[in-house]
Amino acid sequence: MRWRCPAALLAATVLVGCASGGGGVSVDDQLDFGVSAGRRGYWQEALFRFERVLEASPDDPVAINNQAVALEALGRYEDALAAYKKALQKDPKNSSIKRNYARFAEFYTSYARGVLPKGVSDAKR
């Protein structure tokens, strides 16, 4: 299963594969594990899995987009921005990637100006 909608990535819960990612695990399995981890809020695990996918398929725009989502969730905004731009460059017609990039760019612009989204206090920043 290729994950294309990060909003849905945040919605459901599914069991997560173990973090060891040993031999014999396919790229699709790694991607599925990453999606499952993200669904459960285990963003470091999700990032680990997406990076394994990118080792095998460095130009996969969906994996790059998923990596960007995980980086964003971990608060690594500059890295997320670079990953979103790279995903968009690899597949500029992909509507999910365009939508994710636009949503993130809007957030990041406010964040860079020091404007906090509704419901976020300085303590959470």
mmCIF file of all heavy atoms in Angstrom, residues 53-83:
data_model
loop_
_atom_site.group_PDB
_atom_site.id
_atom_site.type_symbol
_atom_site.label_atom_id
_atom_site.label_comp_id
_atom_site.label_asym_id
_atom_site.label_seq_id
_atom_site.Cartn_x
_atom_site.Cartn_y
_atom_site.Cartn_z
ATOM 1 N N VAL A 53 12.964 3.171 3.135
ATOM 2 C CA VAL A 53 12.386 3.153 1.789
ATOM 3 C C VAL A 53 13.236 4.011 0.861
ATOM 4 O O VAL A 53 13.568 3.615 -0.258
ATOM 5 C CB VAL A 53 10.922 3.647 1.793
ATOM 6 C CG1 VAL A 53 10.398 3.817 0.370
ATOM 7 C CG2 VAL A 53 10.035 2.705 2.582
ATOM 8 N N LEU A 54 13.629 5.181 1.346
ATOM 9 C CA LEU A 54 14.397 6.102 0.511
ATOM 10 C C LEU A 54 15.806 5.610 0.230
ATOM 11 O O LEU A 54 16.404 5.995 -0.780
ATOM 12 C CB LEU A 54 14.407 7.499 1.129
ATOM 13 C CG LEU A 54 13.043 8.183 1.078
ATOM 14 C CD1 LEU A 54 13.033 9.434 1.932
ATOM 15 C CD2 LEU A 54 12.666 8.500 -0.365
ATOM 16 N N GLU A 55 16.352 4.757 1.079
ATOM 17 C CA GLU A 55 17.648 4.143 0.777
ATOM 18 C C GLU A 55 17.541 3.268 -0.468
ATOM 19 O O GLU A 55 18.446 3.225 -1.285
ATOM 20 C CB GLU A 55 18.138 3.308 1.960
ATOM 21 C CG GLU A 55 18.637 4.145 3.115
ATOM 22 C CD GLU A 55 19.003 3.305 4.333
ATOM 23 O OE1 GLU A 55 18.924 2.051 4.277
ATOM 24 O OE2 GLU A 55 19.367 3.919 5.350
ATOM 25 N N ALA A 56 16.415 2.577 -0.603
ATOM 26 C CA ALA A 56 16.190 1.696 -1.748
ATOM 27 C C ALA A 56 15.655 2.444 -2.963
ATOM 28 O O ALA A 56 15.952 2.083 -4.099
ATOM 29 C CB ALA A 56 15.224 0.578 -1.361
ATOM 30 N N SER A 57 14.854 3.482 -2.736
ATOM 31 C CA SER A 57 14.213 4.246 -3.808
ATOM 32 C C SER A 57 14.323 5.734 -3.507
ATOM 33 O O SER A 57 13.341 6.371 -3.119
ATOM 34 C CB SER A 57 12.735 3.863 -3.926
ATOM 35 O OG SER A 57 12.576 2.497 -4.157
ATOM 36 N N PRO A 58 15.511 6.315 -3.695
ATOM 37 C CA PRO A 58 15.727 7.705 -3.270
ATOM 38 C C PRO A 58 14.893 8.747 -4.004
ATOM 39 O O PRO A 58 14.742 9.860 -3.500
ATOM 40 C CB PRO A 58 17.220 7.930 -3.517
ATOM 41 C CG PRO A 58 17.666 6.835 -4.403
ATOM 42 C CD PRO A 58 16.702 5.703 -4.244
ATOM 43 N N ASP A 59 14.331 8.402 -5.140
ATOM 44 C CA ASP A 59 13.552 9.369 -5.909
ATOM 45 C C ASP A 59 12.048 9.140 -5.799
ATOM 46 O O ASP A 59 11.282 9.746 -6.554
ATOM 47 C CB ASP A 59 13.976 9.325 -7.380
ATOM 48 C CG ASP A 59 15.395 9.815 -7.573
ATOM 49 O OD1 ASP A 59 15.822 10.713 -6.820
ATOM 50 O OD2 ASP A 59 16.095 9.290 -8.470
ATOM 51 N N ASP A 60 11.611 8.304 -4.884
ATOM 52 C CA ASP A 60 10.192 8.007 -4.728
ATOM 53 C C ASP A 60 9.484 9.207 -4.097
ATOM 54 O O ASP A 60 9.663 9.484 -2.910
ATOM 55 C CB ASP A 60 10.016 6.768 -3.853
ATOM 56 C CG ASP A 60 8.567 6.339 -3.699
ATOM 57 O OD1 ASP A 60 7.663 7.192 -3.792
ATOM 58 O OD2 ASP A 60 8.344 5.139 -3.454
ATOM 59 N N PRO A 61 8.668 9.936 -4.864
ATOM 60 C CA PRO A 61 8.049 11.149 -4.333
ATOM 61 C C PRO A 61 7.073 10.886 -3.183
ATOM 62 O O PRO A 61 6.945 11.708 -2.279
ATOM 63 C CB PRO A 61 7.331 11.759 -5.538
ATOM 64 C CG PRO A 61 7.160 10.642 -6.502
ATOM 65 C CD PRO A 61 8.291 9.690 -6.255
ATOM 66 N N VAL A 62 6.410 9.744 -3.184
ATOM 67 C CA VAL A 62 5.477 9.419 -2.097
ATOM 68 C C VAL A 62 6.250 9.182 -0.803
ATOM 69 O O VAL A 62 5.875 9.680 0.258
ATOM 70 C CB VAL A 62 4.608 8.205 -2.466
ATOM 71 C CG1 VAL A 62 3.768 7.752 -1.285
ATOM 72 C CG2 VAL A 62 3.711 8.544 -3.654
ATOM 73 N N ALA A 63 7.354 8.454 -0.885
ATOM 74 C CA ALA A 63 8.176 8.217 0.301
ATOM 75 C C ALA A 63 8.789 9.517 0.806
ATOM 76 O O ALA A 63 8.864 9.742 2.019
ATOM 77 C CB ALA A 63 9.264 7.187 -0.008
ATOM 78 N N ILE A 64 9.204 10.381 -0.104
ATOM 79 C CA ILE A 64 9.761 11.686 0.297
ATOM 80 C C ILE A 64 8.679 12.513 0.986
ATOM 81 O O ILE A 64 8.920 13.156 2.007
ATOM 82 C CB ILE A 64 10.353 12.434 -0.916
ATOM 83 C CG1 ILE A 64 11.511 11.645 -1.521
ATOM 84 C CG2 ILE A 64 10.810 13.842 -0.501
ATOM 85 C CD1 ILE A 64 11.954 12.136 -2.890
ATOM 86 N N ASN A 65 7.476 12.498 0.432
ATOM 87 C CA ASN A 65 6.359 13.214 1.041
ATOM 88 C C ASN A 65 6.066 12.667 2.442
ATOM 89 O O ASN A 65 5.871 13.429 3.386
ATOM 90 C CB ASN A 65 5.120 13.099 0.152
ATOM 91 C CG ASN A 65 3.934 13.815 0.732
ATOM 92 O OD1 ASN A 65 3.902 15.030 0.818
ATOM 93 N ND2 ASN A 65 2.934 13.051 1.142
ATOM 94 N N ASN A 66 6.044 11.342 2.578
ATOM 95 C CA ASN A 66 5.809 10.741 3.888
ATOM 96 C C ASN A 66 6.918 11.102 4.869
ATOM 97 O O ASN A 66 6.657 11.352 6.048
ATOM 98 C CB ASN A 66 5.662 9.230 3.763
ATOM 99 C CG ASN A 66 4.373 8.822 3.101
ATOM 100 O OD1 ASN A 66 3.476 9.630 2.906
ATOM 101 N ND2 ASN A 66 4.280 7.565 2.737
ATOM 102 N N GLN A 67 8.141 11.139 4.378
ATOM 103 C CA GLN A 67 9.265 11.574 5.213
ATOM 104 C C GLN A 67 9.027 13.007 5.695
ATOM 105 O O GLN A 67 9.245 13.322 6.868
ATOM 106 C CB GLN A 67 10.565 11.493 4.416
ATOM 107 C CG GLN A 67 11.776 11.998 5.173
ATOM 108 C CD GLN A 67 12.989 12.143 4.278
ATOM 109 O OE1 GLN A 67 12.885 12.601 3.135
ATOM 110 N NE2 GLN A 67 14.135 11.726 4.786
ATOM 111 N N ALA A 68 8.565 13.863 4.805
ATOM 112 C CA ALA A 68 8.296 15.260 5.166
ATOM 113 C C ALA A 68 7.224 15.347 6.248
ATOM 114 O O ALA A 68 7.347 16.132 7.194
ATOM 115 C CB ALA A 68 7.869 16.052 3.924
ATOM 116 N N VAL A 69 6.182 14.539 6.128
ATOM 117 C CA VAL A 69 5.117 14.523 7.134
ATOM 118 C C VAL A 69 5.688 14.126 8.496
ATOM 119 O O VAL A 69 5.390 14.756 9.515
ATOM 120 C CB VAL A 69 3.974 13.573 6.723
ATOM 121 C CG1 VAL A 69 2.980 13.382 7.851
ATOM 122 C CG2 VAL A 69 3.267 14.093 5.479
ATOM 123 N N ALA A 70 6.525 13.098 8.515
ATOM 124 C CA ALA A 70 7.123 12.648 9.772
ATOM 125 C C ALA A 70 8.046 13.723 10.350
ATOM 126 O O ALA A 70 8.013 13.990 11.560
ATOM 127 C CB ALA A 70 7.888 11.343 9.557
ATOM 128 N N LEU A 71 8.845 14.346 9.506
ATOM 129 C CA LEU A 71 9.734 15.416 9.975
ATOM 130 C C LEU A 71 8.924 16.568 10.558
ATOM 131 O O LEU A 71 9.284 17.130 11.597
ATOM 132 C CB LEU A 71 10.618 15.905 8.830
ATOM 133 C CG LEU A 71 11.704 14.928 8.375
ATOM 134 C CD1 LEU A 71 12.262 15.355 7.020
ATOM 135 C CD2 LEU A 71 12.805 14.819 9.421
ATOM 136 N N GLU A 72 7.845 16.910 9.891
ATOM 137 C CA GLU A 72 6.971 17.977 10.391
ATOM 138 C C GLU A 72 6.403 17.602 11.761
ATOM 139 O O GLU A 72 6.409 18.411 12.694
ATOM 140 C CB GLU A 72 5.837 18.224 9.400
ATOM 141 C CG GLU A 72 4.864 19.278 9.845
ATOM 142 C CD GLU A 72 3.705 19.472 8.880
ATOM 143 O OE1 GLU A 72 3.679 18.860 7.792
ATOM 144 O OE2 GLU A 72 2.788 20.248 9.240
ATOM 145 N N ALA A 73 5.924 16.378 11.890
ATOM 146 C CA ALA A 73 5.340 15.929 13.155
ATOM 147 C C ALA A 73 6.367 15.932 14.288
ATOM 148 O O ALA A 73 6.015 16.142 15.446
ATOM 149 C CB ALA A 73 4.749 14.538 12.991
ATOM 150 N N LEU A 74 7.628 15.735 13.944
ATOM 151 C CA LEU A 74 8.702 15.743 14.940
ATOM 152 C C LEU A 74 9.217 17.148 15.235
ATOM 153 O O LEU A 74 10.116 17.319 16.050
ATOM 154 C CB LEU A 74 9.855 14.856 14.467
ATOM 155 C CG LEU A 74 9.552 13.353 14.463
ATOM 156 C CD1 LEU A 74 10.628 12.585 13.707
ATOM 157 C CD2 LEU A 74 9.413 12.839 15.888
ATOM 158 N N GLY A 75 8.647 18.148 14.556
ATOM 159 C CA GLY A 75 9.072 19.527 14.791
ATOM 160 C C GLY A 75 10.336 19.915 14.061
ATOM 161 O O GLY A 75 10.913 20.964 14.330
ATOM 162 N N ARG A 76 10.757 19.117 13.121
ATOM 163 C CA ARG A 76 11.959 19.408 12.326
ATOM 164 C C ARG A 76 11.520 20.132 11.048
ATOM 165 O O ARG A 76 11.569 19.609 9.954
ATOM 166 C CB ARG A 76 12.706 18.111 12.033
ATOM 167 C CG ARG A 76 13.278 17.482 13.295
ATOM 168 C CD ARG A 76 13.904 16.139 13.062
ATOM 169 N NE ARG A 76 14.877 16.148 11.969
ATOM 170 C CZ ARG A 76 15.464 15.041 11.500
ATOM 171 N NH1 ARG A 76 15.176 13.863 12.026
ATOM 172 N NH2 ARG A 76 16.320 15.111 10.507
ATOM 173 N N TYR A 77 11.077 21.362 11.240
ATOM 174 C CA TYR A 77 10.396 22.097 10.189
ATOM 175 C C TYR A 77 11.274 22.437 8.994
ATOM 176 O O TYR A 77 10.812 22.358 7.854
ATOM 177 C CB TYR A 77 9.752 23.362 10.754
ATOM 178 C CG TYR A 77 8.762 23.079 11.858
ATOM 179 C CD1 TYR A 77 8.799 23.784 13.043
ATOM 180 C CD2 TYR A 77 7.798 22.079 11.721
ATOM 181 C CE1 TYR A 77 7.886 23.524 14.061
ATOM 182 C CE2 TYR A 77 6.895 21.809 12.733
ATOM 183 C CZ TYR A 77 6.947 22.533 13.901
ATOM 184 O OH TYR A 77 6.053 22.264 14.897
ATOM 185 N N GLU A 78 12.512 22.804 9.213
ATOM 186 C CA GLU A 78 13.383 23.137 8.085
ATOM 187 C C GLU A 78 13.625 21.894 7.225
ATOM 188 O O GLU A 78 13.606 21.969 5.994
ATOM 189 C CB GLU A 78 14.704 23.739 8.573
ATOM 190 C CG GLU A 78 14.562 25.127 9.166
ATOM 191 C CD GLU A 78 14.047 25.120 10.616
ATOM 192 O OE1 GLU A 78 14.030 24.045 11.270
ATOM 193 O OE2 GLU A 78 13.615 26.193 11.077
ATOM 194 N N ASP A 79 13.856 20.755 7.894
ATOM 195 C CA ASP A 79 14.037 19.503 7.159
ATOM 196 C C ASP A 79 12.755 19.103 6.427
ATOM 197 O O ASP A 79 12.800 18.609 5.303
ATOM 198 C CB ASP A 79 14.456 18.382 8.109
ATOM 199 C CG ASP A 79 15.822 18.607 8.738
ATOM 200 O OD1 ASP A 79 16.665 19.315 8.142
ATOM 201 O OD2 ASP A 79 16.050 18.080 9.842
ATOM 202 N N ALA A 80 11.617 19.324 7.074
ATOM 203 C CA ALA A 80 10.331 19.010 6.450
ATOM 204 C C ALA A 80 10.122 19.864 5.201
ATOM 205 O O ALA A 80 9.693 19.352 4.165
ATOM 206 C CB ALA A 80 9.182 19.227 7.434
ATOM 207 N N LEU A 81 10.439 21.144 5.305
ATOM 208 C CA LEU A 81 10.286 22.036 4.155
ATOM 209 C C LEU A 81 11.125 21.550 2.979
ATOM 210 O O LEU A 81 10.634 21.470 1.840
ATOM 211 C CB LEU A 81 10.679 23.467 4.540
ATOM 212 C CG LEU A 81 10.594 24.505 3.432
ATOM 213 C CD1 LEU A 81 9.166 24.650 2.918
ATOM 214 C CD2 LEU A 81 11.126 25.843 3.932
ATOM 215 N N ALA A 82 12.368 21.186 3.243
ATOM 216 C CA ALA A 82 13.241 20.692 2.174
ATOM 217 C C ALA A 82 12.682 19.408 1.563
ATOM 218 O O ALA A 82 12.697 19.234 0.332
ATOM 219 C CB ALA A 82 14.648 20.457 2.717
ATOM 220 N N ALA A 83 12.165 18.524 2.397
ATOM 221 C CA ALA A 83 11.606 17.265 1.894
ATOM 222 C C ALA A 83 10.336 17.506 1.077
ATOM 223 O O ALA A 83 10.149 16.894 0.016
ATOM 224 C CB ALA A 83 11.337 16.299 3.046
#
